[in-house]
Amino acid sequence: MPRKPPSPADQALIDYARKQEVVVTNTQLEHWRRVGLLPANTPMRQGFGGSSSQPAYGAADLVTWLGRHARRGQRTHDVALRAFADGHTVPEPTVRAAFLSAVALALPDPVAGGEDAGDLAQDAATRLPGRDATALIPRRIRRIDARIKAAGISFAPAELLSFDKGPALAEPFTPADFQLMATTVALDGSELNGTGMAALVRSMSPAGAAVPGASMLEFPDGVQATELADEAGNTLLPTGDVRAELRRVVEESTLERLRAGWMAAVERRSWALNLCDTVEVELATGTLGDAVLQWMIATAFGPMRMEIQSAVHEKPTPHGTACTAVMLLWQARQLTWLQEVEPDGLYHLFFALLPPYVLRLLGLEPIGIADALEAIATADPA
């Protein structure tokens, strides 16, 4: 039988795309609706009991985008994320499903599998070779560290050493150790203790570097991060399967917030790559400036350096960007919660050193690294 011709509303979508020099067929419209990429037309009532429909808000531009970018074989979730990130009105259930898929993480279920998180994590770790931790650091990062040392700059200046009490653990950190920690934490967030994270932070730093950020985890002054909780039972670090916490972020975030998280994830990678570029230029020209200073601060801070290394190492994909976006949204939410639970903390000094993409998620304006250090140096201890 011949195909039914497109409805007037669908024909309007096809005609709109054609005006943008994009060829779209009725079959494509049906497929995109079937997989959730395109909203249904909006019904309109007419007199004498008749009815018609019109394209949903934003559907014309979305159809044009899909006509340009959607291809056979692409994952629906990937197409949905890219269209959503470009500002198009992809149906909300599809957007949320795509983000949820990104944070599902391909890990076994401790309950269904009959094993606890520790056993499952240990099993995953034993499959990796026992190489040195430097294998986890991108080559570009190692080259920059070597050039900084060759320029006569110390990663352990006296000013930083005075704030670093030294490693609590002397054992080397290997890729197998990393897999063990990553899997254990994903299956049970309460396993993320300060000493274990500090060992990871130190292993990702140049040999002999002073890392006060790791020292603060090893020798906490006051309440430890794993002990912070409010009266409702909310905690700073997740307890149980972290995937449930990430799903909660997706489910509770508005679409605008999810898009902000995506933009932050994209900026995270460009910020890290631009920092590497600028550091290399400063080292090549011998005009050491803010970029090298930022690099040194990131190394001393620890977790920030790991963010840089992760951003440099990863390959940008819709799935990976969405996962990073949710992680950043979770971090921003927890930092906001921490200020409510512990209101007396010197957060303005801590925030001054955070990357710009994190500050924007917190609703703060980024400042230059030199200004940030000046603010810290002149801060009133009271």
Side-chain angles (χ1 to χ4, degrees), residues 99-324:
F99 274 97
L100 288 172
S101 174
V103 300
L105 306 180
L107 295 172
D109 186 336
V111 177
E115 299 178 273
D116 63 22
D119 292 338
L120 290 167
Q122 187 65 55
D123 179 64
T126 55
R127 301 174 189 173
L128 290 177
R131 297 171 296 171
D132 184 77
T134 54
L136 296 170
I137 304 175
R139 289 183 181 179
R140 187 177 188 185
I141 303 295
R142 283 180 275 165
R143 287 198 300 266
I144 290 175
D145 287 340
R147 291 178 64 183
I148 288 176
K149 288 182 178 180
I153 303 172
S154 173
F155 280 101
E159 297 86 349
L160 287 181
L161 280 174
S162 63
F163 292 99
D164 190 346
K165 298 179 182 180
L169 293 176
E171 293 83 356
F173 206 92
T174 68
D177 295 327
F178 175 80
Q179 180 67 60
L180 176 61
M181 170 176 283
T183 308
T184 300
V185 170
L187 294 171
D188 185 357
S190 64
E191 293 292 330
L192 181 58
N193 61 70
T195 302
M197 176 56 76
L200 175 60
V201 169
R202 288 193 184 280
S203 72
M204 296 294 183
S205 305
V211 190
S215 185
M216 291 170 62
L217 295 171
E218 294 161 324
F219 306 99
D221 183 12
V223 180
Q224 297 190 41
T226 52
E227 300 172 351
L228 285 168
D230 60 18
E231 295 180 354
N234 298 310
T235 57
L236 178 62
L237 298 178
T239 57
D241 196 323
V242 173
R243 291 170 292 184
E245 189 73 8
L246 297 180
R247 286 195 296 269
R248 180 182 162 199
V249 172
V250 175
E251 292 162 355
E252 295 181 354
S253 296
T254 64
L255 292 184
E256 291 74 15
R257 190 62 174 165
L258 288 174
R259 187 174 282 115
W262 178 283
M263 293 172 62
V266 172
E267 184 183 358
R268 170 181 177 262
R269 187 166 190 271
S270 63
W271 175 81
L273 294 177
N274 288 338
L275 178 61
C276 289
D277 290 341
T278 310
V279 168
E280 288 168 342
V281 170
E282 289 185 1
L283 290 169
T285 59
T287 55
L288 307 186
D290 286 355
V292 171
L293 179 59
Q294 176 76 74
W295 192 273
M296 304 300 288
I297 292 297
T299 299
F301 188 45
M304 188 188 302
R305 178 185 170 93
M306 292 176 62
E307 283 287 291
I308 295 172
Q309 294 181 172
S310 175
V312 170
H313 179 73
E314 68 188 14
K315 294 181 179 179
T317 64
H319 185 275
T321 301
C323 186
T324 299

Side-chain angles (χ1 to χ4, degrees), residues 303-365:
M304 188 188 302
R305 178 185 170 93
M306 292 176 62
E307 283 287 291
I308 295 172
Q309 294 181 172
S310 175
V312 170
H313 179 73
E314 68 188 14
K315 294 181 179 179
T317 64
H319 185 275
T321 301
C323 186
T324 299
V326 178
M327 290 295 298
L328 291 174
L329 289 172
W330 176 79
Q331 291 173 17
R333 188 188 72 179
Q334 296 308 96
L335 287 173
T336 300
W337 175 86
L338 180 60
Q339 294 176 79
E340 297 171 356
V341 175
E342 297 286 331
D344 297 329
L346 299 177
Y347 298 109
H348 62 292
L349 302 183
F350 169 66
F351 290 165
L353 297 177
L354 290 179
Y357 53 89
V358 177
L359 292 174
R360 290 190 181 92
L361 284 181
L362 291 169
L364 302 174
E365 283 299 318

Side-chain angles (χ1 to χ4, degrees), residues 40-121:
N41 292 324
T42 304
M44 296 178 61
R45 288 187 177 179
Q46 293 181 330
F48 305 105
S51 65
S52 64
S53 62
Q54 66 180 7
Y57 175 78
D61 288 330
L62 174 57
V63 164
T64 303
W65 187 97
L66 290 170
R68 287 195 176 109
H69 301 284
R71 297 291 180 269
R72 286 183 178 275
Q74 292 177 322
R75 291 179 23 160
T76 298
H77 285 163
D78 288 350
V79 177
L81 288 167
R82 289 171 55 211
F84 172 73
D86 283 352
H88 295 288
T89 53
V90 181
E92 182 172 335
T94 304
V95 173
R96 293 193 184 279
F99 274 97
L100 288 172
S101 174
V103 300
L105 306 180
L107 295 172
D109 186 336
V111 177
E115 299 178 273
D116 63 22
D119 292 338
L120 290 167

